Amino acid sequence: MYRNCVIIGKSVKLKERYTLKYIESVKNPKVKAWKKLSTKKERDKSGHYLIEGFHLVEEALKEQIVLEVIVNQDMEMPAQFKIEETEVVYVKEDVMKAICDTETPQGIAAVCEQQTVHFDDIPLGKLLLLDAVQDPGNLGTMIRTADAAGIDAVILGEGCADVYNPKVVRATQGSLFHLPVMKANLSQFIDQLHMPVYGTALEGGVPFEQVEKSETFALLVGNEGQGVSKELLAKTTKNLYIPIYGKSESLNVGIAAGILMYYLRK
């Protein structure tokens, strides 16, 4: 399928208008660069990150943030992929395994460009604010749930996991590409808001059902073990909690955030 391609470094233009390359060695400089994207340091330095799997690559292509598509040499490019003007690199299976984070890669990956979001880019409607959420799975799940619940943007405070961590990206299932995700000092960010800000805390909080639904709000949830910092809770309009009716001590932060996002939206 790649017999018309030139090995390593050279490329040809095909009728489909994307550039094809073929790499067979894990020692290739491009492969080494891809592998470095597994580290936050390199992601921050380059402004790029690596995704893998058919669904994520397809969603990223729709949003036009893909710089390169990387495909196993024995795979056909899915017909639904919109890859015009995008570089496609076919690789041997051991190259794909070397760059991917999962144990059994699906055979397709992509290098994407990080998106820079500023305060003025944020629709001030329904916001999710996250304070020091450290678990990648929880962070990705909340971004995915925020997307499903029609939240306009997700704001990451200090101490949160890197949003471009491979585990976070996979957990978002493409929602990372659908809505703005911005890093900010939450204390300063809250000071700029002119809408109800609801924290999550048992002490000094009220059951969430006592709050009226709203067209605009900011929901603030916190660290898996410590919750929201006292400094931020002091800035909220009201703090909420979800009653526990069984014997469990608490809810997973991602589950709690989902319940509250769906309840608060009007």
Side-chain angles (χ1 to χ4, degrees):
M1 72 181 300
Y2 51 84
R3 60 182 179 274
N4 294 323
C5 302
V6 181
I7 302 294
I8 307 177
K10 296 183 179 180
S11 61
V12 293
K13 279 283 189 177
L14 301 185
K15 292 180 180 180
E16 293 86 350
R17 292 196 299 157
Y18 57 83
T19 304
L20 263 177
K21 292 183 178 180
Y22 172 57
I23 294 176
E24 60 182 359
S25 172
V26 294
K27 296 181 180 180
N28 183 277
K30 185 176 281 288
V31 177
K32 293 180 179 180
W34 292 336
K35 291 176 67 175
K36 287 182 179 180
L37 293 177
S38 64
T39 68
K40 184 178 186 302
K41 179 180 179 180
E42 185 61 27
R43 291 193 296 269
D44 290 344
K45 177 182 176 182
S46 66
H48 301 158
Y49 62 105
L50 191 76
I51 64 174
E52 55 175 296
F54 287 99
H55 178 66
L56 283 176
V57 173
E58 181 178 9
E59 291 299 304
L61 284 167
K62 290 177 183 177
E63 301 299 324
Q64 299 182 338
I65 59 172
V66 174
L67 303 174
E68 297 174 301
V69 178
I70 307 158
V71 190
N72 263 354
Q73 62 180 17
D74 57 350
M75 287 181 54
E76 292 284 351
M77 182 66 64
Q80 73 273 22
F81 279 19
K82 299 178 180 180
I83 53 175
E84 292 184 354
E85 308 300 335
T86 302
E87 182 173 275
V88 178
V89 184
Y90 281 92
V91 300
K92 295 185 69 174
E93 186 174 356
D94 57 345
V95 172
M96 184 66 70
K97 288 182 178 179
I99 67 172
C100 287
D101 183 64
T102 55
E103 291 186 9
T104 54
Q106 295 180 21
I108 189 165
V111 176
C112 296
E113 186 174 11
Q114 295 185 19
Q115 303 302 293
T116 301
V117 181
H118 303 287
F119 183 84
D120 292 340
D121 301 323
I122 299 294
L124 297 180
K126 302 174 179 65
L127 306 177
L128 176 63
L129 281 52
L130 304 180
D131 177 29
V133 174
Q134 298 176 337
D135 182 86
N138 283 337
L139 177 56
T141 295
M142 283 189 279
I143 293 172
R144 181 181 181 183
T145 306
D147 182 22
I151 300 299
D152 295 305
V154 178
I155 315 301
L156 307 183
E158 294 181 8
C160 283
D162 177 23
V163 72
Y164 297 112
N165 177 301
K167 292 182 175 63
V168 175
V169 176
R170 284 200 301 276
T172 71
Q173 283 296 297
S175 290
L176 175 62
F177 316 136
H178 301 161
L179 76 172
V181 178
M182 171 185 168
K183 298 177 183 178
N185 179 304
L186 289 184
S187 180
Q188 296 175 5
F189 186 87
I190 291 172
D191 288 342
Q192 299 180 74
L193 297 179
H194 300 285
M195 63 174 69
V197 179
Y198 298 115
T200 48
L202 182 60
E203 184 178 351
V206 300
F208 73 94
E209 301 99 326
Q210 293 185 14
V211 174
E212 293 185 2
K213 299 175 184 291
S214 176
E215 294 285 354
T216 62
F217 64 85
L219 173 64
L220 171 64
V221 300
N223 176 269
E224 291 84 350
Q226 304 299 319
V228 180
S229 71
K230 292 183 178 180
E231 175 195 357
L232 295 177
L233 289 176
K235 290 176 173 285
T236 61
T237 307
K238 190 170 288 186
N239 295 320
L240 315 177
Y241 68 84
I242 301 172
I244 301 293
Y245 299 109
K247 296 181 179 180
S248 175
E249 291 184 358
S250 63
L251 285 169
N252 170 275
V253 64
I255 298 296
I259 292 171
L260 294 174
M261 281 188 279
Y262 270 93
Y263 175 80
L264 290 170
R265 64 163 292 114
K266 189 173 183 180

